[in-house]
Amino acid sequence: MRAGHTRTAGVPDHATRTGGALPARGGRRRPAHARPRVQDASSRRFLARATLLSAALSIAGAVLGLGRDQALAHLFGAGAETDAFLVAWTVPEVAATLLIEDGMAFVLVPAFSAALALRARGQRTPDPVRSLVAASLPRLCLALAATAAVLAAGAPMLVSALAPGLSDASLAVSCTRLTATCVLSFGLAGYCSAALRAHRSFLAPGAIYVAYNVAIIATMFVVGAHWGVRSAALGVALGGCLMVAVQAPSLARRIAGRTGSRALVDDGDGARPLAPALICAVLLFALCRQSQVLIERHLASGLPAGAISHLNYAQKVAQLPMSLSLMVCVVTFPVVAQAIAEGDTRRARNRVERDLVLMSTVLLMGAAVVLAGAPQIVQLLFQRGAFTAQDTAATAAVMRVYATGLLGQTLVGALVRSYFAAGRTTWFPLGAMGVGALATVAIGAWAVGPWGACGIAAANAIGITVTALLLLHGLGPGSVPVRVRRVVADLVRPLCAAAGATAAGLLGAGLFASPAASVAVCCLCVSAVFLLLCWILDAAGARSLLLSAVRFLLPYVTRKLGHGR
C-alpha cells in the first residue's frame, strides 16, 4: 500500500485526487468538510509509512530467520538431532501464534482502543489505560508463568504426544524444557505489541523478531560446540526476553500518558472489558490454526529421520511471502476496529476488501518465485555443511507443495481479523478452522503413506484453503460485510498473472547452473512478467496505483529540480 493510493470510504474521489487538502488562499474560508479530508489524507500517508516500516522490519526479521535456519542446517544438518529440536520448537511456534500474532492482538487491540478513547475524551481519574493494564497484566503473568511451569514439568509427555516415533526423545525433552520459558516471555511481548499498535506505534513491535532471531543465532554460535542443538533452544529462551525488552520502554511511556497524536480514538461508550468468552474464542481459534503444525510433526515422526526437518525448512522459506503480505492487515487492523466501533461499516468493508486483494497480489508474486525456483532457492540457502543434496531435493519438493496453500494461509490471516475487530465473541472462525484441521488430519493420514512429507504438505495446503473459503463465505452482518463475489472476481486477475509469472520463472531458473544466478534470473523473470500482466489485467488496481504514485512523487521531483536550477 502506497501513500496516495487508497481512497477512504465515504470520501469523494476528487478528495483523493487532490490529496484531501483544499486551498485557503485569498482570505477565502475553508469549507466545513475540508478538515476531515485533510485528516483522511494524513491518515492514508501515516498508514502507508507504517506499512512500509512494518514491512521493512518484517523483511529484516525474515532474513534473520533464514540466517537462523541456515545456521541450524549448517551446524546440525537435517537428521535426528534437528528433528528433536524441531519437536521442541513446536512450543514457541504455537506460543507465537497464540500470544503474539493472533490471540493477544484480537483481544487487546480493541480493548486498548476503547481505553484510549476514554483518555482522549478527558477521563483521567482513574486513567482508563492504566486501569486496563492493572486489571489484565498481573493475571496474565500468573497464568502464563503457571502454563510455562506445567509445560516444563510435563515435557516427556508432551514430546511423546507430539512425536511418538522420535528417535531421540530425551534430547527433545531437554530442548522443550528450555523453550517452555517462551510462554511467559512471548505472552508479555504480545501484550506490549498489541498495546503499542493500538497507540499506532509500530517500530518496537516490528523489531521483536529481529531481536529474537539475533539471540538464537548468537547463542548457537557461542555455545553450540558444547551444547549441541540445545544451544538453539537456549537461544529461544533468551530471544523471548529480548522481545519484551525492546518494547517495554516505549509502552511504559505511553501508559504514563505521554501519548502522541497518533493515539487511536473512537466514539464508543467506554473501554471494553476482556470478556472470558472472547478470550477463549480467540485462543482456541489460534490453537486450532497452529494444530496444523502439530499434525504435521505427529505424522512425520513415523517417517525416516530428517522428514520433520525437511518440512520445517520448506515451510519457513515458503511462508516468507505470506509474512510480508500480512504486514498490511497488521497495520490496518486498528483502523478497521476503529471504524466498526464508530459504526462506519462501509469504511471497514472497503478497507478489508482492499487489503484482501492487495495482500493476495503481493503474496502471489512471492509464491510464483517459490514455485518456479524452489530447488535453486533451497540449494542457495541451505546446501552446505551437514545439509546434503538429497536434503535439498526433498525440501524443495515439499516447498513447492506448501506454496499451493499460501493464498489460503494469507486469506485466513486477513479474514479472521474481520470477525474479531468489533471485540465481540464469535465462534464461527473456530468452527471453520476446525473443519480445515479435520481435513488436514484425514488427508494427511491417507497421503503420508504413498507420498511421505509431500503428502503431509498437501494436506496442510488443502486444509487451510478449506478454512479460507469457509471464512470468506461466512462474512456477514455479524462481522465486516465484505462483498464476497467482488473480492473473488478481483482475485482472479492476480491469480492469472501469477500463473504466467511462474511459467516465466521456471524458464529463467533453468538457464544457469549456479544457484545464485538461477535465483536472480528467476526473480527477475517472475517480477517482470507478473507486473506486466498485472498492468494489462489491472490486477489490484495496478494502473490507478501507478498513477497515484506518480502524482504523489511528482511534486517532490519538480521541487528538487527547481532547487537544482
Side-chain angles (χ1 to χ4, degrees):
M1 179 171 55
R2 299 180 188 176
H5 164 232
T6 306
R7 181 171 66 87
T8 302
V11 179
D13 287 336
H14 64 82
T16 301
R17 288 195 296 269
T18 60
L22 298 180
R25 297 178 182 175
R28 289 179 293 174
R29 292 187 63 184
R30 187 180 300 271
H33 60 271
R35 183 175 298 174
R37 292 181 183 176
V38 172
Q39 291 173 346
D40 288 339
S42 176
S43 176
R44 289 195 299 272
R45 287 193 295 270
F46 171 73
L47 289 176
R49 290 194 298 269
T51 302
L52 290 175
L53 173 64
S54 299
L57 291 170
S58 177
I59 291 172
V63 169
L64 286 168
L66 280 177
R68 176 202 66 210
D69 292 338
Q70 284 179 314
L72 186 68
H74 177 74
L75 294 172
F76 310 112
E81 192 175 11
T82 51
D83 283 356
F85 167 71
L86 291 173
V87 170
W89 179 262
T90 304
V91 176
E93 279 184 318
V94 173
T97 299
L98 288 175
L99 304 175
I100 299 177
E101 296 163 12
D102 289 343
M104 288 292 182
F106 295 155
V107 173
L108 290 174
V109 168
F112 270 100
S113 298
L116 286 168
L118 288 177
R119 173 185 277 182
R121 289 200 295 267
Q123 178 176 324
R124 296 289 176 181
T125 329
D127 181 79
V129 176
R130 296 180 192 173
S131 297
L132 177 60
V133 172
S136 58
L137 187 56
R139 298 177 183 177
L140 178 68
C141 289
L142 287 174
L144 293 173
T147 304
V150 169
L151 286 175
M157 291 183 290
L158 180 62
V159 169
S160 178
L162 290 175
L166 197 65
S167 58
D168 194 348
S170 61
L171 178 60
V173 168
S174 61
C175 290
T176 300
R177 284 179 171 146
L178 286 169
T179 59
T181 60
C182 75
V183 172
L184 176 58
S185 58
F186 279 25
L188 293 175
Y191 189 97
C192 295
S193 180
L196 286 171
R197 283 170 177 157
H199 285 82
R200 301 232 187 155
S201 175
F202 297 96
L203 177 61
I208 59 176
Y209 285 110
V210 174
Y212 176 62
N213 287 318
V214 165
I216 297 175
I217 294 170
T219 306
M220 281 195 291
F221 279 103
V222 171
V223 300
H226 301 287
W227 276 44
V229 80
R230 291 180 182 85
S231 60
L234 177 61
V236 170
L238 297 176
C241 297
L242 277 182
M243 294 169 92
V244 180
V246 298
Q247 298 182 99
S250 181
L251 181 59
R253 289 193 298 271
R254 283 161 175 79
I255 291 175
R258 295 192 292 273
T259 56
S261 60
R262 296 296 182 190
L264 205 62
V265 178
D266 62 29
D267 294 326
D269 295 329
R272 300 182 182 93
L274 299 182
L278 173 62
I279 296 173
C280 289
V282 169
L283 294 183
L284 287 174
F285 165 80
L287 183 60
C288 190
R289 183 181 180 186
Q290 195 61 29
S291 69
Q292 286 199 306
V293 175
L294 307 181
I295 294 166
E296 287 183 358
R297 302 273 162 84
H298 184 86
L299 294 173
S301 65
L303 295 175
I308 294 177
S309 299
H310 298 151
L311 286 164
N312 173 75
Y313 293 132
Q315 189 180 63
K316 291 297 189 297
V317 178
Q319 287 185 349
L320 287 177
M322 182 191 73
S323 300
L324 181 60
S325 65
L326 285 175
M327 284 300 102
V328 176
C329 66
V330 167
V331 172
T332 59
F333 177 52
V335 178
V336 175
Q338 178 187 13
I340 293 176
E342 294 172 348
D344 192 349
T345 56
R346 181 184 177 188
R347 180 158 60 100
R349 180 197 67 194
N350 290 347
R351 177 77 268 163
V352 171
E353 289 177 354
R354 285 193 295 267
D355 289 349
L356 287 173
V357 177
L358 179 59
M359 287 187 296
S360 298
T361 302
V362 173
L363 178 278
L364 288 168
M365 182 175 174
V369 174
V370 172
L371 283 167
Q376 294 84 359
I377 292 172
V378 176
Q379 183 181 0
L380 177 65
L381 292 177
F382 299 118
Q383 191 174 316
R384 59 183 61 86
F387 199 92
T388 66
Q390 290 76 18
D391 294 323
T392 294
T395 303
V398 173
M399 194 163 77
R400 277 178 164 156
V401 178
Y402 266 133
T404 61
L406 288 179
L407 181 58
Q409 293 276 8
T410 301
L411 289 176
V412 169
L415 289 169
V416 73
R417 287 167 169 78
S418 301
Y419 286 90
F420 292 118
R424 294 190 295 266
T425 303
T426 173
W427 299 99
F428 185 83
L430 175 61
M433 194 65 246
V435 172
L438 288 175
T440 302
V441 171
I443 297 171
W446 170 76
V448 67
W451 292 296
C454 288
I456 297 173
N460 184 307
I462 295 171
I464 200 66
T465 302
V466 168
T467 300
L469 293 174
L470 290 173
L471 288 175
L472 192 61
H473 177 72
L475 289 172
S479 56
V480 179
V482 170
R483 293 165 290 189
V484 176
R485 292 184 179 179
R486 180 174 178 174
V487 170
V488 172
D490 288 341
L491 290 178
V492 170
R493 285 174 282 184
L495 277 169
C496 293
T502 301
L506 285 169
L507 292 175
L511 295 177
F512 296 92
S514 166
S518 294
V519 171
V521 172
C522 176
C523 291
L524 287 174
C525 291
V526 168
S527 301
V529 173
F530 186 84
L531 294 175
L532 176 62
L533 290 176
C534 282
W535 172 266
I536 294 172
L537 300 172
D538 196 23
R543 297 173 189 172
S544 60
L545 175 63
L546 180 59
L547 293 175
S548 298
V550 170
R551 280 195 292 264
F552 177 74
L553 294 174
L554 188 60
Y556 296 97
V557 175
T558 54
R559 190 181 306 141
K560 289 183 178 180
L561 290 175
H563 289 321
R565 291 193 298 268

